[in-house]
Amino acid sequence: MLPDHRNDTQNLGFGTRAIHAGQRPDPTTGAIMTPVYQTSTYVQPELGRHLGYEYARTHNPTREALEGNLASLEGGKHGLSFASGLAATDTLMKLFSAGDHIVCGENVYGGTYRLFNQVISRMGIEFSFVDSSSVDAIRAALRPNTKLVHVETPTNPMMGITDIPAAAEVVHAAGALLSVDNTFASPYNQQPLALGADVVMHSVTKYLNGHSDMVGGVLVVNDDEIHERLRFLQNAAGGVPGPWDCWLVLRSTKTLHVRMAAHNANGLRIAQWLTEQPKIEKVYYPGLPSHPQHELAARQMRGFTGMITVETGSLEAARKFVNGVRIFSLAESLGGVESLIGHPASQTHASIPAERRNAMGLTDGIVRLSCGIEDVDDLIADLEQALAAV
């Protein structure tokens, strides 16, 4: 078995790191799978001396293995795990203070917008929401007190792409940090740290776990000082995952490269088919040449995921479409091996005001697909029969 030190695994292939990074056989039994250290505290041999662990909010060996694994997959030095993606984002916000300014992409997950607009803003931190697919828009929003620019790419659900290297250049010239929510892409398809980002964030619930059986989040960084500050906040605020959830993700990342290849293939095939359907007015998928940022996506991504957004034209058409599926399941979330379908305006993005949703094209007719890894012909047949009722 490979050792768990980052420098011993970073030169290996993605699939090898997915299976081995951050982990080693249990030193007591030789068990190949990392144990679930289901404990809240650790016995100390004597006062003032411990075995590296004191209390489980601060340290847990299962969590440490997961953090090492996810850091390696993102090509980063440090990983920090949290109880949810929003807990990770909330902890990132605690790096900043009253009077600071943050620029955020306008088309982010609705829970991120709610956290920023209704919670963090009450603490004296000001937010500007811009179209992050335009580096000029990011540049125009920067202020002397801007400390962070936070973007999703691809965006949820409109599939907009941020030019990460160009954004990083602009943001760093202003003395700010760039954080990238990489949830939609997964580290298999995109490596924001290598493209210039300072922080990469995931809702681990989605592609990284991929089995719809836990909720979690992660932050990955290279900078030692940022890591130390985030590690302090992780312990101080305590939004950490339990060891069983960490173990579930460690099980899942071992097949991430295999799963993502299947998600990518199914997503592209279904997106191409959807463009030929007269009842679908528009398809948003960066893997299509018709996507306005297809060339940019192809430069900074190696696959385009299983996420597809379509415009059906009306709320009634969207309702009939999502209610008519049989293999796709109507549910919130994404990134699992099973295919899901959802209506962002009433589900994941309901917390965003209607006028803001409409301004960025997120109409009541928008439907979001998370294409799983079932047989693609079965998925297409399911969508075809659902569209017949529209």
PDB file of all heavy atoms in Angstrom, residues 96-112:
ATOM      1  N   PHE A  96     -13.126  36.455   7.167  1.00  0.00           N
ATOM      2  CA  PHE A  96     -13.274  37.881   6.894  1.00  0.00           C
ATOM      3  C   PHE A  96     -14.001  38.578   8.029  1.00  0.00           C
ATOM      4  O   PHE A  96     -14.580  37.944   8.907  1.00  0.00           O
ATOM      5  CB  PHE A  96     -13.974  38.061   5.549  1.00  0.00           C
ATOM      6  CG  PHE A  96     -13.322  37.249   4.462  1.00  0.00           C
ATOM      7  CD1 PHE A  96     -13.914  36.090   3.971  1.00  0.00           C
ATOM      8  CD2 PHE A  96     -12.064  37.599   3.982  1.00  0.00           C
ATOM      9  CE1 PHE A  96     -13.294  35.316   3.008  1.00  0.00           C
ATOM     10  CE2 PHE A  96     -11.429  36.833   3.022  1.00  0.00           C
ATOM     11  CZ  PHE A  96     -12.042  35.686   2.529  1.00  0.00           C
ATOM     12  N   SER A  97     -13.954  39.907   8.013  1.00  0.00           N
ATOM     13  CA  SER A  97     -14.447  40.711   9.126  1.00  0.00           C
ATOM     14  C   SER A  97     -15.390  41.796   8.640  1.00  0.00           C
ATOM     15  O   SER A  97     -15.457  42.099   7.437  1.00  0.00           O
ATOM     16  CB  SER A  97     -13.259  41.364   9.863  1.00  0.00           C
ATOM     17  OG  SER A  97     -12.331  40.392  10.293  1.00  0.00           O
ATOM     18  N   ALA A  98     -16.098  42.377   9.584  1.00  0.00           N
ATOM     19  CA  ALA A  98     -16.986  43.496   9.275  1.00  0.00           C
ATOM     20  C   ALA A  98     -16.210  44.586   8.545  1.00  0.00           C
ATOM     21  O   ALA A  98     -15.085  44.917   8.918  1.00  0.00           O
ATOM     22  CB  ALA A  98     -17.597  44.054  10.563  1.00  0.00           C
ATOM     23  N   GLY A  99     -16.804  45.111   7.486  1.00  0.00           N
ATOM     24  CA  GLY A  99     -16.144  46.115   6.668  1.00  0.00           C
ATOM     25  C   GLY A  99     -15.496  45.550   5.418  1.00  0.00           C
ATOM     26  O   GLY A  99     -15.118  46.313   4.512  1.00  0.00           O
ATOM     27  N   ASP A 100     -15.360  44.228   5.355  1.00  0.00           N
ATOM     28  CA  ASP A 100     -14.790  43.598   4.166  1.00  0.00           C
ATOM     29  C   ASP A 100     -15.858  43.475   3.084  1.00  0.00           C
ATOM     30  O   ASP A 100     -17.061  43.448   3.364  1.00  0.00           O
ATOM     31  CB  ASP A 100     -14.233  42.216   4.493  1.00  0.00           C
ATOM     32  CG  ASP A 100     -12.961  42.277   5.325  1.00  0.00           C
ATOM     33  OD1 ASP A 100     -12.336  43.360   5.368  1.00  0.00           O
ATOM     34  OD2 ASP A 100     -12.600  41.253   5.942  1.00  0.00           O
ATOM     35  N   HIS A 101     -15.399  43.357   1.858  1.00  0.00           N
ATOM     36  CA  HIS A 101     -16.288  43.229   0.697  1.00  0.00           C
ATOM     37  C   HIS A 101     -15.942  41.960  -0.058  1.00  0.00           C
ATOM     38  O   HIS A 101     -14.761  41.621  -0.227  1.00  0.00           O
ATOM     39  CB  HIS A 101     -16.112  44.446  -0.224  1.00  0.00           C
ATOM     40  CG  HIS A 101     -16.863  44.357  -1.507  1.00  0.00           C
ATOM     41  ND1 HIS A 101     -16.220  44.258  -2.733  1.00  0.00           N
ATOM     42  CD2 HIS A 101     -18.194  44.346  -1.780  1.00  0.00           C
ATOM     43  CE1 HIS A 101     -17.133  44.213  -3.696  1.00  0.00           C
ATOM     44  NE2 HIS A 101     -18.327  44.260  -3.148  1.00  0.00           N
ATOM     45  N   ILE A 102     -16.986  41.236  -0.491  1.00  0.00           N
ATOM     46  CA  ILE A 102     -16.807  39.986  -1.228  1.00  0.00           C
ATOM     47  C   ILE A 102     -17.614  40.072  -2.518  1.00  0.00           C
ATOM     48  O   ILE A 102     -18.766  40.493  -2.527  1.00  0.00           O
ATOM     49  CB  ILE A 102     -17.260  38.776  -0.388  1.00  0.00           C
ATOM     50  CG1 ILE A 102     -16.324  38.590   0.809  1.00  0.00           C
ATOM     51  CG2 ILE A 102     -17.321  37.505  -1.229  1.00  0.00           C
ATOM     52  CD1 ILE A 102     -16.774  37.526   1.792  1.00  0.00           C
ATOM     53  N   VAL A 103     -16.994  39.670  -3.615  1.00  0.00           N
ATOM     54  CA  VAL A 103     -17.669  39.571  -4.899  1.00  0.00           C
ATOM     55  C   VAL A 103     -18.048  38.116  -5.112  1.00  0.00           C
ATOM     56  O   VAL A 103     -17.219  37.220  -4.922  1.00  0.00           O
ATOM     57  CB  VAL A 103     -16.770  40.058  -6.053  1.00  0.00           C
ATOM     58  CG1 VAL A 103     -17.476  39.873  -7.397  1.00  0.00           C
ATOM     59  CG2 VAL A 103     -16.377  41.515  -5.846  1.00  0.00           C
ATOM     60  N   CYS A 104     -19.300  37.892  -5.510  1.00  0.00           N
ATOM     61  CA  CYS A 104     -19.791  36.531  -5.698  1.00  0.00           C
ATOM     62  C   CYS A 104     -20.475  36.412  -7.054  1.00  0.00           C
ATOM     63  O   CYS A 104     -21.169  37.342  -7.492  1.00  0.00           O
ATOM     64  CB  CYS A 104     -20.781  36.165  -4.585  1.00  0.00           C
ATOM     65  SG  CYS A 104     -21.464  34.490  -4.714  1.00  0.00           S
ATOM     66  N   GLY A 105     -20.294  35.296  -7.705  1.00  0.00           N
ATOM     67  CA  GLY A 105     -21.029  35.041  -8.930  1.00  0.00           C
ATOM     68  C   GLY A 105     -22.522  35.054  -8.660  1.00  0.00           C
ATOM     69  O   GLY A 105     -22.977  34.512  -7.650  1.00  0.00           O
ATOM     70  N   GLU A 106     -23.292  35.643  -9.555  1.00  0.00           N
ATOM     71  CA  GLU A 106     -24.727  35.771  -9.308  1.00  0.00           C
ATOM     72  C   GLU A 106     -25.460  34.438  -9.457  1.00  0.00           C
ATOM     73  O   GLU A 106     -26.499  34.215  -8.836  1.00  0.00           O
ATOM     74  CB  GLU A 106     -25.339  36.801 -10.265  1.00  0.00           C
ATOM     75  CG  GLU A 106     -25.248  36.440 -11.738  1.00  0.00           C
ATOM     76  CD  GLU A 106     -25.844  37.502 -12.639  1.00  0.00           C
ATOM     77  OE1 GLU A 106     -26.244  38.561 -12.117  1.00  0.00           O
ATOM     78  OE2 GLU A 106     -25.902  37.278 -13.863  1.00  0.00           O
ATOM     79  N   ASN A 107     -24.936  33.558 -10.285  1.00  0.00           N
ATOM     80  CA  ASN A 107     -25.608  32.280 -10.525  1.00  0.00           C
ATOM     81  C   ASN A 107     -24.942  31.174  -9.721  1.00  0.00           C
ATOM     82  O   ASN A 107     -24.323  30.268 -10.251  1.00  0.00           O
ATOM     83  CB  ASN A 107     -25.611  31.951 -12.019  1.00  0.00           C
ATOM     84  CG  ASN A 107     -26.316  30.643 -12.344  1.00  0.00           C
ATOM     85  OD1 ASN A 107     -25.972  29.946 -13.275  1.00  0.00           O
ATOM     86  ND2 ASN A 107     -27.304  30.277 -11.538  1.00  0.00           N
ATOM     87  N   VAL A 108     -25.050  31.282  -8.396  1.00  0.00           N
ATOM     88  CA  VAL A 108     -24.526  30.254  -7.513  1.00  0.00           C
ATOM     89  C   VAL A 108     -25.701  29.455  -6.936  1.00  0.00           C
ATOM     90  O   VAL A 108     -26.867  29.827  -7.089  1.00  0.00           O
ATOM     91  CB  VAL A 108     -23.690  30.854  -6.367  1.00  0.00           C
ATOM     92  CG1 VAL A 108     -22.402  31.464  -6.900  1.00  0.00           C
ATOM     93  CG2 VAL A 108     -24.487  31.879  -5.568  1.00  0.00           C
ATOM     94  N   TYR A 109     -25.384  28.370  -6.285  1.00  0.00           N
ATOM     95  CA  TYR A 109     -26.382  27.570  -5.589  1.00  0.00           C
ATOM     96  C   TYR A 109     -27.226  28.469  -4.697  1.00  0.00           C
ATOM     97  O   TYR A 109     -26.706  29.357  -4.014  1.00  0.00           O
ATOM     98  CB  TYR A 109     -25.664  26.484  -4.788  1.00  0.00           C
ATOM     99  CG  TYR A 109     -26.505  25.801  -3.753  1.00  0.00           C
ATOM    100  CD1 TYR A 109     -27.735  25.230  -4.078  1.00  0.00           C
ATOM    101  CD2 TYR A 109     -26.079  25.712  -2.429  1.00  0.00           C
ATOM    102  CE1 TYR A 109     -28.507  24.597  -3.120  1.00  0.00           C
ATOM    103  CE2 TYR A 109     -26.837  25.078  -1.467  1.00  0.00           C
ATOM    104  CZ  TYR A 109     -28.050  24.523  -1.816  1.00  0.00           C
ATOM    105  OH  TYR A 109     -28.817  23.905  -0.857  1.00  0.00           O
ATOM    106  N   GLY A 110     -28.543  28.234  -4.679  1.00  0.00           N
ATOM    107  CA  GLY A 110     -29.435  29.083  -3.915  1.00  0.00           C
ATOM    108  C   GLY A 110     -29.103  29.154  -2.436  1.00  0.00           C
ATOM    109  O   GLY A 110     -29.278  30.192  -1.792  1.00  0.00           O
ATOM    110  N   GLY A 111     -28.599  28.054  -1.872  1.00  0.00           N
ATOM    111  CA  GLY A 111     -28.221  28.069  -0.458  1.00  0.00           C
ATOM    112  C   GLY A 111     -27.026  28.967  -0.193  1.00  0.00           C
ATOM    113  O   GLY A 111     -26.927  29.586   0.879  1.00  0.00           O
ATOM    114  N   THR A 112     -26.117  29.068  -1.157  1.00  0.00           N
ATOM    115  CA  THR A 112     -24.980  29.983  -1.016  1.00  0.00           C
ATOM    116  C   THR A 112     -25.462  31.417  -1.022  1.00  0.00           C
ATOM    117  O   THR A 112     -25.042  32.236  -0.182  1.00  0.00           O
ATOM    118  CB  THR A 112     -23.972  29.757  -2.164  1.00  0.00           C
ATOM    119  OG1 THR A 112     -23.553  28.385  -2.161  1.00  0.00           O
ATOM    120  CG2 THR A 112     -22.761  30.658  -2.011  1.00  0.00           C
TER     121      THR A 112
END
